[in-house]
Amino acid sequence: TVHAPDLVFPGSPVRIQLEPDTPLPGARARIIVDKLRTIGTVHGTSPADAALWAEGFDGRFTAFIETNEDTGTIVDLVRACGDVRDVRVSAAEVRSTEGVTADAAWSTENLKAPLQKYVRIELRRLDHLLDLVGELVTVRGRLQALSATHDDPGLDESVAKASRLIGELQDGVLGSRMVPVWQVFDRFPRVVRDAARIVGKDVSLALEGREIELDRTLLEQVADPLVHLLRNAVDHGIENAEGRAAAGKPAVGRLKLIARRERSAVVIVVADDGKGVDRARILAKAKELGWVSQESEELSDDDVLRVISRPGFSTAERVSEVSGRGVGIDAVLAKVRALGGTVAFSTVEGRGTIFELRLPVTLAIVPTIITRVDQESYALPLTHVSETVQPAAGALRRVRGRNVFILRDQVLPLLSLREVVGLPGRDVRGQQIVIVEVTDRRAAIAVDRLEGQQDIVVKAFDTVKGATPCTGAAILPDGSAALILDVGGLLQEH
C-alpha cells in the first residue's frame, strides 16, 4: 500500500509506463525524472524515489511537475529517454488518495483525467495527407488559371475562397509535420564524446537553437551529414592537448552546433575552434591528383570546399574508426543538395572552421519563381532569389573573358540558363535577369521570360551524371513539367 505522503503533491501529474522488458527500470525512471527537472520543478514521484529502486518495481510511476512547457514538449522529452511505452499528462491538481494502492491510484487517476489534447498518428498517414494537399495545391493553380480566362465575378470569388482555404489546410498539414531540432541534436553529444575518446582528445559540444522546427522527414535525413561534419571536426579540426597548449588555447576543444531561421530557410552551423584547414597541404594533394592547375598558388574557401568534397579525397595518414576512408564531405554535399539545400564553408588557419548548411523548412511544397527558356519551364526556389530585373543598357559586360552583370555598381557573374540546359544562346539584352543568392555568393541568371511566383509540389527523382543540377520536378497548373533548379549546384559548376 502506498500512503498519502507518496501520492499528494502540487503540479501536473505525468503518468509514465515503461516497456515491460526494460532493463533496470528503476534507473530508467531516475533518468526520466532527472530529465523532467531540466524543464521545471519536480515536487515528487508516486511511488516514492526509494520504491522506484525496490525489487518488483513494475515500471509504472507518476512524476508531479510544475513547468511552463506545454504537454507536447513534456511527452516528447519523456519519450526521448527511451524504453517508454506510454506517457500521459494531466492538468495541475492536488489529490488525496490515502490508503489506496499504487495500482488503484493509477487506475483511478486515469479515470478522472480529462481527455488528452494529443493523439499519436502514424507518419505514413501524415505523408498521405500531405500528398493529397500537394495535389490540391496543383489543382488550385489550375483553377486560378482557368478563372482568369472567364469574366465571372462569382467564379472569381469562389476560386479566391477555395484558394485561401487550401492555403490554410496546407499550412496546417505542414505544421503537423514540424518537430524541434533537439529531437536529433540531443543525440550528438554522445557522438562527439565517442569520437573524441577514439582519437584521444577532450572536446565539448554546445547546442544552440534547439527549439527551431524542421519537417520531420528532412530533419531525419540531415542527421547523417551532421554526424559526418562533427566527427570530421573532432578528428581533423580540433588539435590534441599538446597542440592546443602550444597555440595558447584551452585544453578542451569547443564545437558548436547552431540552428537558426533565416527568411524561409533553416541554417544549421557546425563550427570548431581548431587549427583550421591547411590550405597548402590541400593544394599539394589536389595538384598531385590533377584536380587543380599546377600553376595555382592559393585556394579560396570555395576552392577548398570543391577539393575536399571530391569523392575519395582524404589527407589522413591512416585509416581510423573516425576518418581516412575518403568518405565524408562529398556525402554531406550530395545529401544536402538532394534536400534542396546548400553548403557554405569558411576557415581561418589557427582559429577554426565553419560549415553552414542552408535547408528549406519542408521538402514537400516549395515557393518558387517559374522561368521559361524556349518552350521549357524551370523553377527557382524563392529561398535563393533576391530580386528580378530588366537589364539596362550597359549593364551587360565582359570581364576577363566572362560575362558579368552590373547591378548598382556591383559586378555579378552572369549565367545564361539557355547555355546551362544546352540550348543555342541568344542576345541576353532581350532576356530578363534573376538575381540569386547562396550564403554570401550572388549571381545573375538570364532567362527568356518570367512566368510569376507559384507554390509547387516537389516530385523527387534521381538525376543522371552530367545533367542540369536540379533537386526535383513539379507539375504546373497547365499540366506541363518543370525542373526545380539546384541554385547552389549551378554556382558551384560555373
Side-chain angles (χ1 to χ4, degrees):
T1 301
V2 181
H3 296 286
D6 291 329
L7 290 172
V8 180
F9 295 104
S12 299
V14 181
R15 300 173 180 83
I16 301 157
Q17 182 173 358
L18 303 179
E19 294 288 355
D21 57 350
T22 300
L24 300 175
R28 181 64 62 184
R30 170 53 55 198
I31 291 172
I32 293 172
V33 173
D34 289 344
K35 200 70 172 179
L36 288 171
R37 287 195 172 103
T38 65
I39 61 170
T41 302
V42 176
H43 291 285
T45 63
S46 174
D49 285 359
L52 297 179
W53 293 96
E55 185 176 353
F57 171 54
D58 63 359
R60 293 191 300 177
F61 66 101
T62 303
F64 298 86
I65 183 173
E66 281 189 346
T67 178
N68 293 325
E69 300 291 346
D70 59 28
T71 301
T73 301
I74 298 173
V75 171
D76 289 341
L77 185 74
V78 172
R79 290 196 178 279
C81 295
D83 292 324
V84 175
R85 165 171 283 194
D86 188 35
V87 187
R88 302 181 185 184
V89 182
S90 300
E93 55 187 82
V94 178
R95 63 187 55 75
S96 175
T97 53
E98 184 173 1
V100 182
T101 65
D103 284 349
W106 177 279
S107 302
T108 303
E109 289 166 6
N110 277 344
L111 289 172
K112 294 192 296 182
L115 292 175
Q116 301 299 312
K117 297 181 181 179
Y118 298 87
V119 294
R120 298 179 63 184
I121 301 176
E122 277 186 277
L123 193 57
R124 175 180 56 83
R125 295 191 179 186
L126 278 180
D127 289 340
H128 178 62
L129 190 58
L130 187 61
D131 289 340
L132 294 178
V133 170
E135 297 302 325
L136 273 177
V137 170
T138 302
V139 172
R140 177 182 64 181
R142 181 64 175 158
L143 282 174
Q144 290 171 332
L146 289 174
S147 174
T149 64
H150 294 74
D151 186 15
D152 186 338
L155 176 61
D156 292 342
E157 180 182 355
S158 297
V159 169
K161 185 174 182 179
S163 298
R164 177 177 59 80
L165 292 174
I166 291 173
E168 292 178 1
L169 180 61
Q170 170 189 330
D171 292 341
V173 173
L174 290 177
S176 70
R177 294 173 54 89
M178 303 296 282
V179 294
V181 297
W182 66 257
Q183 293 194 10
V184 167
F185 278 19
D186 281 2
R187 308 175 195 167
F188 295 143
R190 181 173 181 177
V191 171
V192 170
R193 187 167 58 250
D194 291 346
R197 177 179 51 78
I198 291 170
V199 298
K201 297 177 182 178
D202 196 359
V203 182
S204 67
L205 174 64
L207 304 177
E208 298 180 17
R210 297 169 69 252
E211 71 285 352
I212 299 298
E213 291 188 329
L214 267 178
D215 184 285
R216 179 187 296 274
T217 303
L218 191 148
L219 184 59
E220 290 174 353
Q221 294 192 47
V222 82
D224 284 344
L226 291 175
V227 169
H228 278 302
L229 292 178
L230 291 170
R231 289 164 65 94
N232 187 74
V234 171
D235 192 33
H236 291 294
I238 294 177
E239 312 94 327
N240 56 26
E242 295 78 10
R244 294 185 66 83
K249 297 180 180 179
V252 179
R254 289 177 292 183
L255 258 176
K256 283 187 177 181
L257 182 59
I258 304 167
R260 64 174 184 267
R261 283 295 295 268
E262 286 189 6
R263 294 167 54 186
S264 58
V266 170
V267 177
I268 299 178
V269 178
V270 178
D272 66 68
D273 68 342
K275 59 189 175 183
V277 170
D278 188 341
R279 297 177 191 269
R281 188 177 181 188
I282 298 291
L283 179 60
K285 185 75 172 181
K287 286 182 177 180
E288 177 187 331
L289 296 172
W291 292 348
V292 299
S293 169
Q294 296 297 323
E295 289 74 32
S296 299
E297 297 181 356
E298 189 177 356
L299 296 176
S300 65
D301 286 339
D302 288 338
D303 294 332
V304 171
L305 182 60
R306 288 192 190 97
V307 171
I308 65 177
S309 62
R310 294 285 289 266
F313 180 83
S314 178
T315 58
E317 301 285 343
R318 56 186 175 81
V319 175
S320 69
E321 293 182 51
V322 178
S323 66
R325 299 171 178 81
V327 178
I329 305 302
D330 60 316
V332 172
L333 260 68
K335 189 62 169 180
V336 172
R337 286 181 179 172
L339 296 175
T342 59
V343 178
F345 168 86
S346 62
T347 184
V348 177
E349 195 163 347
R351 294 179 58 185
T353 302
I354 298 174
F355 282 91
E356 192 173 280
L357 282 58
R358 183 178 296 269
L359 300 161
V361 176
T362 180
L363 295 175
I365 300 174
V366 179
T368 64
I369 186 166
I370 306 298
T371 67
R372 295 281 288 187
V373 173
D374 201 20
Q375 300 301 314
E376 301 296 331
S377 297
Y378 296 90
L380 290 168
L382 276 179
T383 305
H384 304 305
V385 176
S386 59
E387 60 182 302
T388 60
V389 295
Q390 189 73 37
L396 305 171
R397 299 182 188 176
R398 199 164 178 82
V399 176
R400 297 180 181 178
R402 301 189 64 179
N403 293 324
V404 298
F405 182 73
I406 310 300
L407 178 67
R408 296 186 286 275
D409 298 327
Q410 184 181 10
V411 180
L412 303 177
L414 176 64
L415 308 180
S416 170
L417 191 53
R418 294 182 67 90
E419 296 177 3
V420 169
V421 300
L423 292 174
R426 56 176 283 189
D427 189 350
V428 178
R429 286 173 292 185
Q431 295 184 302
Q432 292 177 294
I433 305 296
V434 181
I435 307 300
V436 295
E437 186 173 354
V438 178
T439 60
D440 59 346
R441 298 183 63 192
R442 304 185 79 201
I445 298 178
V447 301
D448 288 358
R449 65 181 183 275
L450 300 174
E451 296 289 327
Q453 181 179 336
Q454 188 174 320
D455 288 348
I456 60 175
V457 181
V458 179
K459 305 292 185 182
F461 66 92
D462 295 327
T463 58
V464 298
K465 186 175 181 181
T468 302
C470 61
T471 59
I475 304 299
L476 300 181
D478 61 2
S480 63
L483 288 179
I484 305 168
L485 296 176
D486 174 9
V487 178
L490 285 177
L491 299 191
Q492 285 281 351
E493 293 186 7
H494 300 79

